[in-house]
Short mmCIF file of all heavy atoms in Angstrom, two decimals:
data_model
loop_
_atom_site.label_atom_id
_atom_site.label_comp_id
_atom_site.label_asym_id
_atom_site.label_seq_id
_atom_site.Cartn_x
_atom_site.Cartn_y
_atom_site.Cartn_z
N LYS W 1078 23.55 71.77 -5.98
CA LYS W 1078 24.74 71.86 -6.68
C LYS W 1078 24.94 70.68 -7.63
O LYS W 1078 25.24 70.80 -8.76
CB LYS W 1078 25.99 71.87 -5.70
CG LYS W 1078 27.31 72.23 -6.39
CD LYS W 1078 28.18 71.08 -6.82
CE LYS W 1078 28.39 69.94 -5.87
NZ LYS W 1078 29.16 68.86 -6.59
N SER W 1079 24.66 69.41 -7.17
CA SER W 1079 24.87 68.27 -8.01
C SER W 1079 23.81 68.19 -9.06
O SER W 1079 24.17 67.72 -10.23
CB SER W 1079 24.89 67.02 -7.14
OG SER W 1079 23.66 66.75 -6.54
N GLN W 1080 22.60 68.62 -8.83
CA GLN W 1080 21.57 68.69 -9.87
C GLN W 1080 21.90 69.69 -10.99
O GLN W 1080 21.78 69.45 -12.11
CB GLN W 1080 20.19 68.90 -9.31
CG GLN W 1080 19.66 67.68 -8.45
CD GLN W 1080 18.37 67.87 -7.83
OE1 GLN W 1080 17.94 69.03 -7.67
NE2 GLN W 1080 17.80 66.77 -7.35
N LEU W 1081 22.36 70.86 -10.54
CA LEU W 1081 22.63 71.98 -11.49
C LEU W 1081 23.89 71.66 -12.38
O LEU W 1081 24.08 72.09 -13.52
CB LEU W 1081 22.93 73.32 -10.83
CG LEU W 1081 21.62 73.91 -10.14
CD1 LEU W 1081 22.00 75.12 -9.36
CD2 LEU W 1081 20.58 74.24 -11.27
N ASN W 1082 24.80 70.74 -11.81
CA ASN W 1082 25.94 70.33 -12.57
C ASN W 1082 25.68 69.08 -13.28
O ASN W 1082 26.57 68.44 -13.88
CB ASN W 1082 27.13 70.11 -11.64
CG ASN W 1082 27.79 71.38 -11.21
OD1 ASN W 1082 27.75 72.28 -12.03
ND2 ASN W 1082 28.39 71.43 -10.01
N ALA W 1083 24.40 68.59 -13.34
CA ALA W 1083 24.03 67.33 -14.03
C ALA W 1083 24.73 66.13 -13.45
O ALA W 1083 25.04 65.20 -14.15
CB ALA W 1083 24.14 67.41 -15.52
N GLU W 1084 25.05 66.11 -12.15
CA GLU W 1084 25.67 64.99 -11.52
C GLU W 1084 24.74 64.09 -10.91
O GLU W 1084 25.07 62.92 -10.58
CB GLU W 1084 26.69 65.45 -10.44
CG GLU W 1084 27.75 66.40 -10.94
CD GLU W 1084 28.49 67.21 -9.88
OE1 GLU W 1084 28.05 67.28 -8.79
OE2 GLU W 1084 29.53 67.79 -10.24
N SER W 1085 23.51 64.45 -10.67
CA SER W 1085 22.44 63.67 -10.15
C SER W 1085 21.07 64.11 -10.72
O SER W 1085 20.92 65.27 -11.18
CB SER W 1085 22.41 63.73 -8.60
OG SER W 1085 22.19 64.99 -8.16
N PRO W 1086 20.18 63.15 -10.84
CA PRO W 1086 18.88 63.45 -11.44
C PRO W 1086 17.98 64.30 -10.52
O PRO W 1086 18.14 64.35 -9.29
CB PRO W 1086 18.25 62.13 -11.67
CG PRO W 1086 18.84 61.25 -10.65
CD PRO W 1086 20.26 61.77 -10.44
N ILE W 1087 17.05 65.01 -11.11
CA ILE W 1087 16.09 65.81 -10.39
C ILE W 1087 14.88 64.90 -10.21
O ILE W 1087 14.21 64.53 -11.24
CB ILE W 1087 15.65 67.04 -11.14
CG1 ILE W 1087 16.93 67.99 -11.37
CG2 ILE W 1087 14.58 67.83 -10.42
CD1 ILE W 1087 16.65 69.13 -12.24
N LYS W 1088 14.63 64.48 -8.95
CA LYS W 1088 13.48 63.57 -8.75
C LYS W 1088 12.22 64.30 -8.39
O LYS W 1088 11.11 63.70 -8.49
CB LYS W 1088 13.91 62.61 -7.60
CG LYS W 1088 15.07 61.75 -7.96
CD LYS W 1088 15.42 60.78 -6.87
CE LYS W 1088 16.60 59.89 -7.34
NZ LYS W 1088 17.05 58.97 -6.28
N GLU W 1089 12.30 65.56 -7.91
CA GLU W 1089 11.12 66.33 -7.62
C GLU W 1089 10.71 67.18 -8.75
O GLU W 1089 11.39 68.14 -9.17
CB GLU W 1089 11.45 67.23 -6.39
CG GLU W 1089 10.34 68.20 -5.99
CD GLU W 1089 8.99 67.60 -5.75
OE1 GLU W 1089 8.94 66.66 -4.94
OE2 GLU W 1089 8.01 68.00 -6.36
N PRO W 1090 9.56 66.87 -9.35
CA PRO W 1090 9.16 67.58 -10.61
C PRO W 1090 9.01 69.08 -10.43
O PRO W 1090 9.16 69.91 -11.33
CB PRO W 1090 7.71 66.95 -10.90
CG PRO W 1090 7.69 65.64 -10.13
CD PRO W 1090 8.60 65.78 -9.05
N GLY W 1091 8.69 69.46 -9.22
CA GLY W 1091 8.53 70.95 -8.91
C GLY W 1091 9.81 71.73 -9.05
O GLY W 1091 9.77 72.98 -9.29
N PHE W 1092 10.98 71.07 -9.10
CA PHE W 1092 12.23 71.77 -9.34
C PHE W 1092 12.51 72.01 -10.80
O PHE W 1092 13.40 72.82 -11.09
CB PHE W 1092 13.40 71.04 -8.66
CG PHE W 1092 13.25 70.86 -7.14
CD1 PHE W 1092 13.86 69.80 -6.54
CD2 PHE W 1092 12.56 71.76 -6.41
CE1 PHE W 1092 13.73 69.61 -5.15
CE2 PHE W 1092 12.42 71.58 -5.08
CZ PHE W 1092 13.03 70.52 -4.35
N VAL W 1093 11.96 71.24 -11.62
CA VAL W 1093 12.32 71.32 -13.04
C VAL W 1093 12.15 72.68 -13.67
O VAL W 1093 13.04 73.19 -14.39
CB VAL W 1093 11.54 70.24 -13.87
CG1 VAL W 1093 11.74 70.36 -15.36
CG2 VAL W 1093 11.88 68.75 -13.32
N PRO W 1094 11.00 73.37 -13.46
CA PRO W 1094 10.92 74.71 -14.07
C PRO W 1094 11.99 75.72 -13.65
O PRO W 1094 12.57 76.36 -14.49
CB PRO W 1094 9.54 75.21 -13.60
CG PRO W 1094 8.72 73.99 -13.31
CD PRO W 1094 9.79 72.98 -12.76
N LEU W 1095 12.43 75.68 -12.37
CA LEU W 1095 13.51 76.57 -11.94
C LEU W 1095 14.82 76.04 -12.51
O LEU W 1095 15.63 76.93 -12.93
CB LEU W 1095 13.63 76.53 -10.37
CG LEU W 1095 12.91 77.64 -9.70
CD1 LEU W 1095 13.00 77.52 -8.16
CD2 LEU W 1095 13.42 79.01 -10.08
N PHE W 1096 15.07 74.80 -12.62
CA PHE W 1096 16.26 74.27 -13.17
C PHE W 1096 16.33 74.71 -14.65
O PHE W 1096 17.41 75.20 -15.09
CB PHE W 1096 16.24 72.71 -13.15
CG PHE W 1096 17.39 72.05 -13.93
CD1 PHE W 1096 18.64 71.85 -13.27
CD2 PHE W 1096 17.28 71.81 -15.29
CE1 PHE W 1096 19.66 71.29 -13.96
CE2 PHE W 1096 18.41 71.24 -15.95
CZ PHE W 1096 19.58 70.97 -15.34
N ILE W 1097 15.23 74.66 -15.42
CA ILE W 1097 15.27 75.20 -16.80
C ILE W 1097 15.58 76.71 -16.85
O ILE W 1097 16.33 77.14 -17.73
CB ILE W 1097 13.93 74.74 -17.48
CG1 ILE W 1097 13.84 73.27 -17.62
CG2 ILE W 1097 13.78 75.48 -18.80
CD1 ILE W 1097 12.45 72.75 -18.07
N GLU W 1098 14.90 77.44 -15.99
CA GLU W 1098 15.19 78.87 -15.97
C GLU W 1098 16.65 79.21 -15.75
O GLU W 1098 17.21 80.00 -16.38
CB GLU W 1098 14.37 79.56 -14.88
CG GLU W 1098 12.84 79.67 -15.26
CD GLU W 1098 12.58 80.76 -16.37
OE1 GLU W 1098 13.29 81.71 -16.53
OE2 GLU W 1098 11.65 80.48 -17.07
N ILE W 1099 17.19 78.51 -14.75
CA ILE W 1099 18.64 78.69 -14.42
C ILE W 1099 19.51 78.29 -15.56
O ILE W 1099 20.47 79.00 -15.98
CB ILE W 1099 18.97 77.92 -13.12
CG1 ILE W 1099 18.32 78.55 -11.86
CG2 ILE W 1099 20.50 77.75 -12.90
CD1 ILE W 1099 18.25 77.69 -10.70
N HIS W 1100 19.23 77.17 -16.15
CA HIS W 1100 20.03 76.69 -17.37
C HIS W 1100 19.96 77.63 -18.41
O HIS W 1100 20.95 78.02 -19.09
CB HIS W 1100 19.49 75.30 -17.74
CG HIS W 1100 20.22 74.82 -18.97
ND1 HIS W 1100 21.49 74.35 -19.03
CD2 HIS W 1100 19.79 74.84 -20.31
CE1 HIS W 1100 21.85 74.04 -20.22
NE2 HIS W 1100 20.82 74.33 -21.06
N ASN W 1101 18.77 78.22 -18.75
CA ASN W 1101 18.65 79.14 -19.82
C ASN W 1101 19.37 80.44 -19.50
O ASN W 1101 20.01 80.99 -20.45
CB ASN W 1101 17.11 79.47 -20.06
CG ASN W 1101 16.42 78.33 -20.74
OD1 ASN W 1101 16.95 77.34 -21.31
ND2 ASN W 1101 15.04 78.38 -20.71
N MET W 1102 19.31 80.90 -18.32
CA MET W 1102 20.11 82.13 -17.95
C MET W 1102 21.65 81.85 -18.10
O MET W 1102 22.28 82.71 -18.58
CB MET W 1102 19.77 82.57 -16.55
CG MET W 1102 18.45 83.26 -16.43
SD MET W 1102 18.07 83.79 -14.75
CE MET W 1102 19.05 85.30 -14.75
N GLN W 1103 22.05 80.68 -17.76
CA GLN W 1103 23.46 80.29 -17.87
C GLN W 1103 23.82 80.35 -19.32
O GLN W 1103 24.89 80.92 -19.68
CB GLN W 1103 23.66 78.88 -17.25
CG GLN W 1103 25.14 78.52 -17.30
CD GLN W 1103 25.44 77.17 -16.74
OE1 GLN W 1103 24.43 76.47 -16.31
NE2 GLN W 1103 26.64 76.75 -16.57
N VAL W 1104 23.08 79.71 -20.19
CA VAL W 1104 23.42 79.65 -21.59
C VAL W 1104 23.33 81.06 -22.23
O VAL W 1104 24.26 81.46 -23.03
CB VAL W 1104 22.44 78.74 -22.34
CG1 VAL W 1104 22.58 78.81 -23.90
CG2 VAL W 1104 22.66 77.24 -21.95
N GLU W 1105 22.34 81.85 -21.97
CA GLU W 1105 22.14 83.19 -22.59
C GLU W 1105 23.11 84.20 -22.04
O GLU W 1105 23.52 85.12 -22.74
CB GLU W 1105 20.72 83.60 -22.29
CG GLU W 1105 19.68 82.83 -23.07
CD GLU W 1105 18.25 83.11 -22.59
OE1 GLU W 1105 18.03 84.06 -21.82
OE2 GLU W 1105 17.30 82.47 -23.04
N SER W 1106 23.44 84.17 -20.78
CA SER W 1106 24.13 85.36 -20.16
C SER W 1106 25.49 85.01 -19.38
O SER W 1106 26.30 85.90 -19.24
CB SER W 1106 23.26 86.08 -19.16
OG SER W 1106 22.10 86.51 -19.81
N PHE W 1107 25.69 83.76 -19.06
CA PHE W 1107 26.80 83.44 -18.19
C PHE W 1107 27.53 82.17 -18.62
O PHE W 1107 27.44 81.16 -17.93
CB PHE W 1107 26.36 83.26 -16.69
CG PHE W 1107 25.60 84.49 -16.19
CD1 PHE W 1107 24.29 84.40 -15.93
CD2 PHE W 1107 26.27 85.69 -15.97
CE1 PHE W 1107 23.56 85.60 -15.52
CE2 PHE W 1107 25.65 86.81 -15.52
CZ PHE W 1107 24.29 86.78 -15.25
N PRO W 1108 28.18 82.18 -19.79
CA PRO W 1108 28.77 80.92 -20.30
C PRO W 1108 29.97 80.42 -19.39
O PRO W 1108 30.35 79.21 -19.55
CB PRO W 1108 29.25 81.24 -21.68
CG PRO W 1108 29.39 82.75 -21.66
CD PRO W 1108 28.39 83.24 -20.68
N HIS W 1109 30.52 81.31 -18.56
CA HIS W 1109 31.63 80.87 -17.73
C HIS W 1109 31.16 80.69 -16.30
O HIS W 1109 31.96 81.01 -15.34
CB HIS W 1109 32.76 81.92 -17.85
CG HIS W 1109 33.20 82.18 -19.26
ND1 HIS W 1109 33.88 81.22 -19.93
CD2 HIS W 1109 32.94 83.18 -20.11
CE1 HIS W 1109 34.07 81.74 -21.17
NE2 HIS W 1109 33.49 82.92 -21.24
N LEU W 1110 30.00 80.22 -16.04
CA LEU W 1110 29.47 79.97 -14.76
C LEU W 1110 29.71 78.59 -14.23
O LEU W 1110 29.53 77.58 -14.94
CB LEU W 1110 27.95 80.19 -14.79
CG LEU W 1110 27.02 79.86 -13.59
CD1 LEU W 1110 27.39 80.79 -12.39
CD2 LEU W 1110 25.57 79.94 -13.95
N THR W 1111 30.21 78.44 -13.01
CA THR W 1111 30.37 77.19 -12.36
C THR W 1111 29.61 77.11 -11.04
O THR W 1111 29.53 78.16 -10.35
CB THR W 1111 31.82 76.89 -12.15
OG1 THR W 1111 32.41 77.85 -11.28
CG2 THR W 1111 32.65 76.68 -13.43
N PHE W 1112 29.18 75.99 -10.65
CA PHE W 1112 28.49 75.78 -9.43
C PHE W 1112 29.36 74.95 -8.44
O PHE W 1112 29.80 73.86 -8.89
CB PHE W 1112 27.12 75.06 -9.61
CG PHE W 1112 26.18 75.81 -10.44
CD1 PHE W 1112 25.93 75.39 -11.81
CD2 PHE W 1112 25.45 76.84 -9.97
CE1 PHE W 1112 25.04 76.08 -12.60
CE2 PHE W 1112 24.57 77.54 -10.75
CZ PHE W 1112 24.36 77.14 -12.09
N THR W 1113 29.67 75.43 -7.36
CA THR W 1113 30.50 74.73 -6.35
C THR W 1113 29.83 74.68 -5.02
O THR W 1113 28.95 75.52 -4.69
CB THR W 1113 31.90 75.36 -6.17
OG1 THR W 1113 31.73 76.76 -5.74
CG2 THR W 1113 32.69 75.44 -7.51
N LEU W 1114 30.27 73.70 -4.15
CA LEU W 1114 29.65 73.59 -2.88
C LEU W 1114 30.58 74.28 -1.84
O LEU W 1114 31.83 74.26 -1.94
CB LEU W 1114 29.66 72.06 -2.54
CG LEU W 1114 29.00 71.70 -1.18
CD1 LEU W 1114 27.52 72.01 -1.18
CD2 LEU W 1114 29.27 70.28 -0.82
N VAL W 1115 29.97 75.01 -0.97
CA VAL W 1115 30.62 75.70 0.12
C VAL W 1115 30.02 75.23 1.46
O VAL W 1115 28.72 75.22 1.56
CB VAL W 1115 30.63 77.18 -0.09
CG1 VAL W 1115 29.21 77.81 -0.05
CG2 VAL W 1115 31.47 77.94 1.00
N PRO W 1116 30.75 74.89 2.47
CA PRO W 1116 30.22 74.59 3.73
C PRO W 1116 29.40 75.75 4.34
O PRO W 1116 29.76 76.91 4.10
CB PRO W 1116 31.41 74.23 4.59
CG PRO W 1116 32.52 73.98 3.71
CD PRO W 1116 32.24 74.80 2.46
N HIS W 1117 28.30 75.39 5.14
CA HIS W 1117 27.52 76.45 5.69
C HIS W 1117 28.44 77.52 6.49
O HIS W 1117 28.18 78.68 6.45
CB HIS W 1117 26.44 75.90 6.68
CG HIS W 1117 25.33 75.24 5.96
ND1 HIS W 1117 24.28 76.01 5.43
CD2 HIS W 1117 25.05 73.98 5.71
CE1 HIS W 1117 23.38 75.24 4.84
NE2 HIS W 1117 23.80 73.97 4.95
N LYS W 1118 29.40 76.95 7.16
CA LYS W 1118 30.29 77.92 8.01
C LYS W 1118 31.06 78.94 7.17
O LYS W 1118 31.47 79.92 7.66
CB LYS W 1118 31.23 77.12 8.88
CG LYS W 1118 32.29 76.32 8.10
CD LYS W 1118 33.13 75.50 9.01
CE LYS W 1118 34.11 74.71 8.19
NZ LYS W 1118 34.88 73.73 8.90
N GLU W 1119 31.26 78.57 5.81
CA GLU W 1119 31.88 79.57 4.90
C GLU W 1119 30.97 80.31 4.18
O GLU W 1119 31.30 81.09 3.27
CB GLU W 1119 32.86 78.74 3.97
CG GLU W 1119 34.00 78.06 4.63
CD GLU W 1119 34.93 77.31 3.69
OE1 GLU W 1119 34.91 77.58 2.51
OE2 GLU W 1119 35.57 76.38 4.22
N ASN W 1120 29.69 80.25 4.47
CA ASN W 1120 28.62 80.94 3.81
C ASN W 1120 27.99 81.90 4.81
O ASN W 1120 26.81 82.12 4.78
CB ASN W 1120 27.57 79.99 3.23
CG ASN W 1120 26.91 80.50 1.96
OD1 ASN W 1120 27.19 81.61 1.42
ND2 ASN W 1120 25.92 79.74 1.47
N GLY W 1121 28.75 82.42 5.73
CA GLY W 1121 28.32 83.23 6.82
C GLY W 1121 27.56 84.46 6.47
O GLY W 1121 26.45 84.78 7.16
N GLU W 1122 27.95 85.22 5.44
CA GLU W 1122 27.18 86.39 5.03
C GLU W 1122 25.76 86.05 4.56
O GLU W 1122 24.81 86.71 4.90
CB GLU W 1122 27.91 87.13 3.99
CG GLU W 1122 29.18 87.80 4.47
CD GLU W 1122 28.95 88.80 5.58
OE1 GLU W 1122 27.95 89.47 5.62
OE2 GLU W 1122 29.95 88.95 6.46
#
């Protein structure tokens, strides 16, 4: 969540391609997209 919100750097180079794909999809298709943190217990499904 913090990396996708540009709140912390991506230190693992292997994550960069997925980060770019996600960012491109956000720009192209979902301009009103937000990333938020949810505790595991609230992510039951």
Side-chain angles (χ1 to χ4, degrees):
K1078 190 266 318 173
S1079 67
Q1080 289 176 345
L1081 290 173
N1082 284 330
E1084 299 164 348
S1085 62
I1087 300 172
K1088 296 180 180 177
E1089 172 56 51
F1092 299 152
V1093 173
L1095 265 176
F1096 175 89
I1097 291 169
E1098 288 288 331
I1099 291 165
H1100 175 76
N1101 288 345
M1102 287 181 78
Q1103 182 178 9
V1104 170
E1105 292 169 7
S1106 302
F1107 307 108
H1109 305 287
L1110 172 65
T1111 58
F1112 298 103
T1113 60
L1114 184 67
V1115 61
H1117 284 283
K1118 65 183 179 188
E1119 293 178 25
N1120 211 3
E1122 292 298 329

